[in-house]
Amino acid sequence: MADFDFDVLVIGSGPGGYVAAIRAAQLGLKTACAESRETLGGTCLNVGCIPSKAMLHASELFAEASSGALAKFGIDIAGASLNLDQMHAEKAKAVKELTGGIEFLFKKNKVEWLKGRAAFESANSVKVGDRSVTAKNIIIATGSSVTPLAGVSVDNEAHVIVDSTGALTLPKVPGHLVVIGGGVIGLELGSVWLRLGAKVTVVEYLDEILPGMDGEIRKESAKIFKKQGFTIRTGTKVTGASTANGKATLTVEPAKGGPAESIEADVVLVSIGRKPNTDGLALDKAGLTVNAKGQVDTDHDFRTSVPGIWAIGDVITGPMLAHKAEDEGVACAENIAGHTGIVNHAVIPSVVYTHPEIAGVGLTEEQAREASTEIKVGKFPFMANSRAKTNRDTDGFVKIIADAKSDRVLGVWIISSLAGNLIAEACIAMEFGATSEDIAYTSHAHPTHAEAVKEAAMAVQGKPIHI
Ligand code: FAD
Ligand code: NAI
């Protein structure tokens, strides 16, 4: 090892990179992590998962307090008002605590933070700022950034056409927010500003919002969002945008062709997806190239085509999710240390943190029908779940898709205020190859929303109790 400065150098300190660095250090490897941001934690902690969930939580509390929704529980709150600066301040505090927490964990585990932008000099050598370091193993964990939309220029400082980072820090509630893209970011951040008083229009190119999710879930979600006050324009494309006097004018037209029209907005959020970060990394100096999607290709063990160089997280193929990046970080570090690190990519849950939440794992009904000769589907509505009824929280359902012959669970989809937590049970079940019967005969505490998962499993056999 004397030949190298480090056993492992991780480039990027997002959930993929920082987790890989900590695990590598735990396994006794001399580890460094290069990060160009001022704080550790990547997109997720600084401008992604954490600040967005802070705003979702706070805006939900505001909506509950100000809408009169609590009156039916005998709670009269008169004159609730919004202090947006304080809401932003509390969010910033959570971000600071969590990014500082990673710095603490780096110190505790003796991971050296190399501050600055990293670029390859060769397959074993990387320049970070002015310093050149060598490492036996290098993990590329550089994450992703916003996909730009031609003709629509983002300027987060001007607060008119913004990306997710700008939409997390708007200084005032827009009168009209137009969201381009009916995906996860558009619906989460659209929900924040809708709850705080904005009129929100979502413009989605495809015929349905939330691509990749189960068809029935997509339809039901759109119904719920419309009921909440979202205007959702599917099958519509944005062809350009201009700004004047602190407002924006978007030109839109039907995706399949037709007359153009204009939409006026106080703020436009561009959220049409994210792209892998490899610019400025000088991958060519390491002998690496990117694929047609701009991703670094790896094998199942996260090895790239160059020995000693590995890649994980948003910069490689698969869903762009923090927990997927974390799982890959652990597995990659374990593989480097000579252990067997595995990620089961068939069981990665996804959650949209709106109200209600929308969660899924495994195959959609459409994919299952295509992949399996015969399937069975069990569904259970929260309208028939005693705890949801008690809480006056009955939107949504649980849907379990199982193979008709083996009864093995192929996919689980949930719309519920607690879907993000409920889906964990489905992940465990699928990881252990459970059948729907296994779930149906597992005791679930009463009264809980989780009983709806058990009842949906009973419904796969056609025998739910409460419907
Ligand atoms: P990143 O977190 O993007 O981290 C990469 C890091 O590498 C960055 O800090 C970057 O500065 C650094 N870097 C890049 N290039 C270099 C270089 N050359 N030198 C040094 N450093 C470099 N996912 C979820 O699972 N749940 C959520 O609730 C969720 N919410 C989100 C909300 C928003 C608004 C956004 C934008 C994303 C959200 N995501 C969520 C997605 C999640 O943030 C990403 O999937 C996750 O951060 C990917 O982790 P990563 O480690 O691959 O990369
Ligand atoms: P997305 O891929 O979820 O949604 C983008 C949407 O924009 C799609 O519905 C797509 O059809 C639409 N679109 C594309 N081009 C368009 C155009 N020209 N006009 C109109 N619509 C167009 O991407 P999003 O929301 O930007 O999020 C990026 C990534 O961040 C996601 O892949 C997600 O994995 C991750 N993320 C995860 C979260 C979570 O786990 N809760 C929260 C936020 C982001």
Side-chain angles (χ1 to χ4, degrees), residues 12 14-16 35-37 42-43 48-49 53 118 142-143 314 320-323:
E35 173 55 61
S36 55
R37 264 178 222 275
T43 303
C49 325
K53 265 78 260 180
T142 47
D314 281 10
M320 289 182 164
L321 295 173
H323 43 282

Side-chain angles (χ1 to χ4, degrees), residues 11-18 34-37 39-50 52-53 114 116-119 128 141-146 164-165 168 184-185 188-189 274 277 279-281 312-315 319-325 351 353:
I11 306 179
S13 72
Y18 85 73
E35 173 55 61
S36 55
R37 264 178 222 275
T39 46
L40 299 171
T43 303
C44 177
L45 273 66
N46 288 282
V47 291
C49 325
I50 298 306
S52 60
K53 265 78 260 180
L114 306 177
R117 210 164 175 77
V128 187
T142 47
S144 64
S145 46
V146 177
S164 55
T165 302
L168 283 166
V184 197
I185 291 181
E188 287 189 0
L189 296 183
R274 294 178 63 82
N277 286 334
D279 285 354
L281 256 186
I312 54 170
D314 281 10
V315 78
M320 289 182 164
L321 295 173
H323 43 282
K324 177 252 189 195
V351 181
Y353 296 88

Side-chain angles (χ1 to χ4, degrees), residues 52-53 149 180-186 188 203-206 208-211 236-238 271-274 319-321 323 350-353:
S52 60
K53 265 78 260 180
L149 177 58
I180 309 178
V184 197
I185 291 181
E188 287 189 0
V203 180
E204 166 59 47
Y205 184 81
L206 300 174
E208 301 268 1
I209 58 170
L210 292 173
T236 305
K237 73 174 170 198
V238 174
S271 49
I272 59 161
R274 294 178 63 82
M320 289 182 164
L321 295 173
H323 43 282
S350 59
V351 181
V352 188
Y353 296 88

